[in-house]
Amino acid sequence: MNRVRRYQTIRAAAVMLLALLLVPAASATIIWGPYVTNTTTGSATIAWKATGEEPGWVEYSSEGGEVCRVASAGEEGMHRVHLAGLLPATTYRYRVGTGGATVEDCRFRTFGDRTFTCIIYGDTQGQRPFFTQTERHGLVAERMAGEEDILFVIHTGDFVGDESEWDEFFALAGPVLGNTTLVPVAGNHDGTAEVFSAIFGLPPYYSFDAGSLHVTVLDSNDRAWADMRTQTAWLKEDLTSPLPQTIVAFHHPPFSSDRKHPGGDLAIRAEWCGIFAQNDVDAVFSGHTHTYERYRVNGTEYVVAGCGGGPFYPLSEEKPEGYQAGREETLGYIRATISPVSIGIEVVPVADVTGDGEVTMHPAGAVIDTVRLNTAGGWWSVLASAPGVWELPGLWRR
């Protein structure tokens, strides 16, 4: 190599080294979310998790409205921004950022609509080494992402099998969770109450109002029994809501033909089901049993929606009282349509999976079970048509 070419080579190498030195350190990466929780008629909370400790921000606006920006200082990578002063029954577009990483074109809708649709599903954990969340929950999440105008998604617990799956869960559910409100229920695999609150910004039991619907979320895990008297007293007070429709969600089903827990969780049945009957609760949604089942007991519909991706549980031919329908070895979710006078429940199958892992997809639009609950009439039907009723704020409370 002559002197000129060697000089040019050294010079080029020096320029490249200088360029590398001038490039900033790798930017943050958003690994969870964003996801929206704690929505009311006038507020919502947006959360996400990123690598590093760089500050974050949310930009949001209603259609044609002014773009607002709110800063977030991450704590151990978790970012949470509470938005207040929002308009009821309004869709907001938003994006989040941390360092140089952004997630764009997300949306959520504040509560206040007279009629809306929500989704209920749960038990999305994988079962390594046999299969991961990607192989099963991924199928359900992809089909759910095709649903339009979903006001909120209730997850009935067991998001993960253990803490190593949280990244996978949020990656798969991201297209859904970035465009609706998540209503989380604590499952027995989801960690301590402190872990649940750190991820979702909510206590293990809480409630909220959406239109004519009151939603109560309970903690049915073993830890809850240490102070079950307090939670049950809170439940009795909470179910005095004046709204005409009420659904309840918790993880362990009080009615189930699961062979491992014949009859369902009998302790939970004894603790709460009488209260549900006394307060005319319309429907109770649970998971834990990895299948779909539906029971009708004392005027309340009990739905087991544990078919979000976990390993299937075999059911016994002997069913508890009130059995109406069921489906084994099928992945899917519940789609519920709420109006001022009824709740329509549809069970959407996504795929059948045999014991040896063979997957057969169901076509879009398939439904394997339906039930319509006529839940209101009389004075409420008149009130529902009055202007301004649906702008009354719903309150989260514990």
Side-chain angles (χ1 to χ4, degrees), residues 45-58:
T45 300
I46 299 175
W48 69 98
K49 184 178 182 180
T51 57
E53 297 297 326
E54 296 178 75
W57 47 265
V58 173

Side-chain angles (χ1 to χ4, degrees), residues 213-216 239 243-248 279-283 343:
L213 180 69
H214 182 71
V215 181
T216 302
L239 292 182
L243 294 182
Q245 299 162 314
T246 302
I247 65 173
V248 177
N279 289 275
D280 299 320
V281 169
D282 298 298
I343 298 175

Side-chain angles (χ1 to χ4, degrees), residues 116 152 206-217 234-235 237-248 281-283 338 343 395 397:
F116 61 87
F152 58 81
Y206 57 94
S207 67
F208 65 93
D209 298 332
S212 60
L213 180 69
H214 182 71
V215 181
T216 302
V217 174
W234 174 88
L235 171 65
E237 177 66 24
D238 181 72
L239 292 182
T240 62
S241 166
L243 294 182
Q245 299 162 314
T246 302
I247 65 173
V248 177
V281 169
D282 298 298
I338 315 298
I343 298 175
L395 299 178
R397 55 190 182 275

Side-chain angles (χ1 to χ4, degrees), residues 32-335:
W32 294 1
Y35 50 101
V36 181
T37 60
N38 203 14
T39 302
T40 68
T41 56
S43 62
T45 300
I46 299 175
W48 69 98
K49 184 178 182 180
T51 57
E53 297 297 326
E54 296 178 75
W57 47 265
V58 173
E59 286 185 350
Y60 68 98
S61 69
S62 59
E63 188 69 32
E66 179 183 358
V67 176
C68 300
R69 185 182 178 106
V70 182
S72 164
E75 204 172 301
E76 296 185 351
M78 283 298 304
H79 296 260
R80 187 169 286 113
V81 174
H82 184 68
L83 308 180
L86 306 180
L87 299 173
T90 300
T91 298
Y92 284 85
R93 300 280 179 176
Y94 73 96
R95 66 188 189 117
V96 305
T98 301
T102 61
V103 178
E104 310 274 345
D105 196 27
C106 301
R107 68 183 184 276
F108 69 91
R109 188 169 178 84
T110 51
F111 296 165
D113 290 299
R114 300 178 184 223
T115 299
F116 61 87
T117 301
C118 61
I119 282 176
I120 306 100
Y121 86 132
D123 294 278
T124 50
Q125 68 269 49
Q127 190 185 32
R128 291 184 173 89
F130 302 106
F131 61 87
T132 65
Q133 282 207 31
T134 301
E135 294 170 76
R136 294 196 180 182
H137 174 218
L139 300 177
V140 179
E142 183 178 14
R143 184 67 60 84
M144 287 169 48
E147 295 275 3
E148 296 182 356
D149 300 324
I150 300 301
L151 187 64
F152 58 81
V153 172
I154 298 176
H155 192 298
T156 56
D158 280 2
F159 293 79
V160 297
D162 58 57
E163 63 182 8
S164 68
E165 288 186 21
W166 281 110
D167 288 357
E168 188 177 14
F169 170 81
F170 280 110
L172 295 170
V176 177
L177 301 186
N179 295 297
T180 187
T181 290
L182 173 64
V183 179
V185 174
N188 55 289
H189 285 287
D190 297 330
T192 64
E194 291 74 20
V195 168
F196 180 86
S197 294
I199 294 173
F200 300 114
L202 291 165
Y205 59 94
Y206 57 94
S207 67
F208 65 93
D209 298 332
S212 60
L213 180 69
H214 182 71
V215 181
T216 302
V217 174
L218 298 173
D219 183 2
S220 62
N221 291 290
D222 288 347
R223 62 169 180 253
W225 288 97
D227 194 23
M228 184 58 80
R229 179 178 299 179
T230 298
Q231 184 175 187
T232 298
W234 174 88
L235 171 65
K236 291 177 180 178
E237 177 66 24
D238 181 72
L239 292 182
T240 62
S241 166
L243 294 182
Q245 299 162 314
T246 302
I247 65 173
V248 177
F250 52 86
H251 187 59
H252 300 81
F255 299 93
S256 171
S257 60
D258 176 14
R259 293 180 187 175
K260 295 193 299 182
H261 304 93
D265 192 311
L266 303 185
I268 290 294
R269 188 195 298 187
E271 183 74 16
W272 289 339
C273 288
I275 299 172
F276 299 152
Q278 292 165 12
N279 289 275
D280 299 320
V281 169
D282 298 298
V284 171
F285 296 94
S286 301
H288 194 60
T289 297
H290 299 175
T291 189
Y292 166 68
E293 291 189 283
R294 181 167 60 85
Y295 295 81
R296 186 176 300 135
V297 180
N298 294 328
T300 297
E301 213 76 20
Y302 288 86
V303 180
V304 182
C307 43
F312 294 124
Y313 288 178
L315 302 180
S316 171
E317 292 185 6
E318 185 176 349
K319 309 295 184 184
E321 61 174 307
Y323 177 78
Q324 301 294 310
R327 181 74 170 245
E328 296 184 67
E329 298 187 335
T330 297
L331 301 172
Y333 56 91
I334 311 298
R335 181 172 57 221

